[in-house]
Amino acid sequence: MREQLLAYVNQKGTLLEPGAISYLLSQQDPLARLDRLFRTLSTPPLVITLKDFLRAEDAAAHAAASISLPVPEVTAAFRRESGEAREFDPQVKILRDITGQSTCEGTIEDFTRYFRRRFEVLSKFLASRREFAGAPEIAKAKRSSREVRFVAMVSEVRTTRKGHRILDVEDAGDRISVLLPADSTLAADPVVPDEVLGITGTVNEKGLVIAQSLVRPDVPVARPFPAGKDHVRVAFLSDIHVGSRTFLESKWERLKAWLQDGDEVARSIRYVVVSGDVVDGIGVYPNQDAELLVDDIYLQYEALARHLSGLPDHLTLIMIPGNHDAVRPAEPQPALPPSIQKLFDSNVIFAGNPALLDISGIRILAYHGRSMDDLVSGIRGMSYHRPVEVMKAMLRMRHLAPIYGGKTPIAPEAEDHLIIHDVPDVFVTGHVHSVGVDEYRGVTLVNASTWQAQTPFQKMHNIEPMPARVPILDLATGQTVVRPF
Ligand code: D5M
Ligand code: FE
Ligand code: ZN
């Protein structure tokens, strides 16, 4: 595909910068996407950059006023009118989060217990499927000379010189190596360290399993979206980064003005879920102080509280922390502490990261999304520009942060709060400063954009944000639209 793209631009007499190529390769139909861009350009520039795509998308979005991703060119207004938000009482429950329940101290015993527990719970999901019900442990499977099936946790993934892939896997009692032959489709299956898999195959004379299939815990069956109790809508915000020099105050003011006296959609928004990084924090990355407008953490939260108090009174906000917020960085993170909560109006509800929420009868799993850094670099084909694909991988693994020891710090709590125990109706993340909505086996997926423009730090790391887009979900129908500001 890369060659086709290069041939296409070459024939038009221009070039594609590497960032634009990787963006295109992450799109569903890269050539069509490129072709559409050319149709919007009167004179093609010498080099086409990622910014050209984002600008074109913005223009299309503004023209359409209300857009539906991942095909931003298609206008999608809500199909059914909703009720007026101000007429409904709040219906919010926090069903699950770590707040007030943290017990771990990070000892070796805690880690051993954590991984044992992770394996137990995830292997139960697999054991509930016909193929793995009553599957033997590795120690027993090893002695078999026929087809074997067992459940295991991946400890290492290697590639041999001949292009075969080898998984070293283990369960509570034993370990074994599994070969994914280079000439089978399995070799391309993106297995990551520490995930729990069901494996079928045959054991060869050297005690190596030649894999026939890999099965993930996954979301078993697609269900229809359950109608919420009240016909109102939820807006999703994330990564506001108040305190940063690049906080987009004017875009924020536009959002505020629209919510205050906007159209039917604005008046229907009853809830706002905020997926973390609500302020920019202090000392989060090297030399961050140069990029801060406010360098006192409490003053940052005070400024955020002022920005939020300008929103209409009938909104209920549910806020979880991210890696820039003033709680421990290790996940699961508890809700922001009382000393910060007291700065906010009573319509703000604080939950941990991750948190399973019940909003008007709809179950929403909110997670900031730090682990997307590890999954994007750990799985070929994943991209910061298509966060919903990374979210699908999490649902298949039934785990929010499967890879241990990467960029995502994990606290070894007694229970693994990063396991996706209950399949939610809606799964929302932030963190990557991108935006997307999609659906996977009946689960609505939302990545909730940002209110921070590119920082010098992000420029250095080639991170091109897509700020100021607001995904909005209709709780009665499950329909989602994205509104640009
Ligand atoms: O993360 C904002 C974005 O920047 C997100 O896509 C991750 C990315 N990021 C954050 N830190 C790094 C480093 N050190 N290298 C590369 N990419 C990074 P935020 O959590 O808002 O800082
Ligand atoms: Fe962020
Ligand atoms: Zn973040």
Side-chain angles (χ1 to χ4, degrees):
M1 180 47 77
R2 181 184 292 269
E3 286 68 34
Q4 276 170 280
L5 294 171
L6 293 175
Y8 185 100
V9 291
N10 184 31
Q11 159 235 324
K12 300 262 185 196
T14 83
L15 299 164
L16 267 177
E17 71 152 19
I21 299 179
S22 53
Y23 172 75
L24 279 172
L25 292 174
S26 75
Q27 300 296 298
Q28 256 156 9
D29 188 348
L31 262 181
R33 188 78 193 75
L34 182 59
D35 184 55
R36 273 203 302 276
L37 177 77
F38 269 101
R39 278 190 266 128
T40 66
L41 300 170
S42 42
T43 36
L46 197 57
V47 181
I48 294 178
T49 65
L50 178 55
K51 277 222 171 74
D52 292 321
F53 286 100
L54 299 182
R55 225 178 281 132
E57 211 167 77
D58 249 357
H62 278 288
S66 168
I67 56 170
S68 174
L69 289 176
V71 197
E73 290 73 15
V74 179
T75 310
F78 281 111
R79 284 184 290 271
R80 262 173 61 193
E81 274 210 7
S82 163
E84 294 271 334
R86 64 179 74 246
E87 290 166 11
F88 292 88
D89 289 333
Q91 307 262 354
V92 180
K93 283 187 275 220
I94 300 171
L95 301 177
R96 211 190 261 272
D97 78 348
I98 189 68
T99 312
Q101 295 178 55
S102 173
T103 54
C104 78
E105 289 161 17
T107 61
I108 294 287
E109 290 74 31
D110 283 345
F111 281 99
T112 312
R113 179 189 60 181
Y114 172 77
F115 281 104
R116 196 182 306 128
R117 194 70 193 130
R118 180 193 280 203
F119 181 70
E120 266 170 33
V121 177
L122 291 176
S123 57
K124 271 203 201 101
F125 290 144
L126 282 156
S128 69
R129 304 169 67 128
R130 199 164 23 87
E131 318 130 82
F132 289 96
E137 294 186 347
I138 292 177
K140 189 157 173 228
K142 242 181 189 173
R143 295 196 298 272
S144 169
S145 54
R146 289 187 310 254
E147 191 190 281
V148 291
R149 52 189 63 223
F150 56 92
V151 175
M153 183 182 276
V154 179
S155 43
E156 210 186 310
V157 185
R158 296 178 274 138
T159 305
T160 69
R161 264 174 285 130
K162 290 184 179 146
H164 302 301
R165 296 180 76 214
I166 295 185
L167 314 179
D168 295 327
V169 304
E170 60 190 27
D171 63 13
D174 207 344
R175 50 177 59 220
I176 198 165
S177 296
V178 178
L179 178 90
L180 312 179
D183 57 359
S184 84
T185 50
L186 290 180
D189 194 310
V191 179
V192 301
D194 309 316
E195 71 165 308
V196 174
L197 289 171
I199 296 162
T200 72
T202 48
V203 189
N204 75 5
E205 65 286 357
K206 288 188 202 138
L208 183 69
V209 178
I210 314 298
Q212 263 151 21
S213 71
L214 300 178
V215 182
R216 294 206 158 68
D218 219 323
V219 174
V221 276
R223 299 157 309 148
F225 190 85
K229 292 190 209 101
D230 299 326
H231 197 165
V232 287
R233 296 182 179 131
V234 186
F236 295 94
L237 308 180
S238 190
D239 297 81
I240 310 178
H241 288 271
V242 171
S244 159
R245 285 188 191 281
T246 62
F247 166 58
L248 290 163
E249 189 152 1
S250 58
K251 299 255 185 201
W252 180 266
E253 291 304 319
R254 256 157 70 182
L255 167 70
K256 205 150 77 179
W258 175 73
L259 283 169
Q260 274 161 352
D261 49 7
D263 52 18
E264 188 265 332
V265 179
R267 292 196 310 276
S268 72
I269 295 171
R270 178 70 188 78
Y271 304 100
V272 179
V273 173
V274 189
S275 301
D277 282 2
V278 297
V279 300
D280 207 47
I282 310 281
V284 181
Y285 54 84
N287 304 320
Q288 186 195 12
D289 30 335
E291 299 180 19
L292 288 177
L293 194 64
V294 185
D295 65 359
D296 175 301
I297 190 81
Y298 282 97
L299 292 180
Q300 288 184 359
Y301 283 102
E302 266 176 40
L304 172 69
R306 274 198 305 280
H307 285 302
L308 296 180
S309 67
L311 300 179
D313 290 339
H314 64 259
L315 290 175
T316 297
L317 283 81
I318 304 97
M319 208 151 86
I320 69 167
N323 51 304
H324 283 249
D325 285 291
V327 287
R328 74 168 187 200
E331 298 178 5
Q333 297 177 289
L336 287 164
S339 57
I340 287 172
Q341 292 192 18
K342 71 168 200 260
L343 305 172
F344 292 81
D345 292 343
S346 61
N347 66 333
V348 183
I349 296 172
F350 296 85
N353 170 41
L356 182 65
L357 311 168
D358 177 321
I359 299 185
S360 182
I362 301 298
R363 289 199 298 186
I364 301 185
L365 175 61
Y367 172 54
H368 178 60
R370 181 95 200 252
S371 69
M372 289 198 271
D373 293 337
D374 295 317
L375 291 168
V376 165
S377 57
I379 302 181
R380 199 167 352 131
M382 293 278 158
S383 147
Y384 279 119
H385 292 288
R386 291 189 64 77
V388 289
E389 295 306 318
V390 190
M391 295 166 74
K392 289 177 198 173
M394 293 178 191
L395 285 171
R396 282 194 287 269
M397 294 186 267
R398 290 292 283 273
H399 205 281
L400 295 170
I403 304 173
Y404 182 81
K407 282 189 179 165
T408 315
I410 293 177
E413 297 289 348
E415 282 297 323
D416 187 348
H417 286 254
L418 299 163
I419 286 178
I420 305 174
H421 279 268
D422 309 291
V423 177
D425 303 309
V426 180
F427 175 24
V428 57
T429 59
H431 184 60
V432 293
H433 297 202
S434 183
V435 68
V437 298
D438 204 342
E439 184 270 345
Y440 178 72
R441 296 200 174 174
V443 183
T444 300
L445 308 175
V446 176
N447 180 264
S449 189
T450 176
W451 297 84
Q452 183 186 42
Q454 193 184 47
T455 65
F457 177 82
Q458 289 164 2
K459 193 174 172 65
M460 203 167 73
H461 287 94
N462 242 333
I463 292 156
E464 202 70 54
M466 297 175 74
R469 272 85 159 174
V470 181
I472 303 164
L473 167 79
D474 189 309
L475 285 174
T477 64
Q479 198 195 343
T480 320
V481 303
V482 178
R483 188 127 189 160
F485 286 89

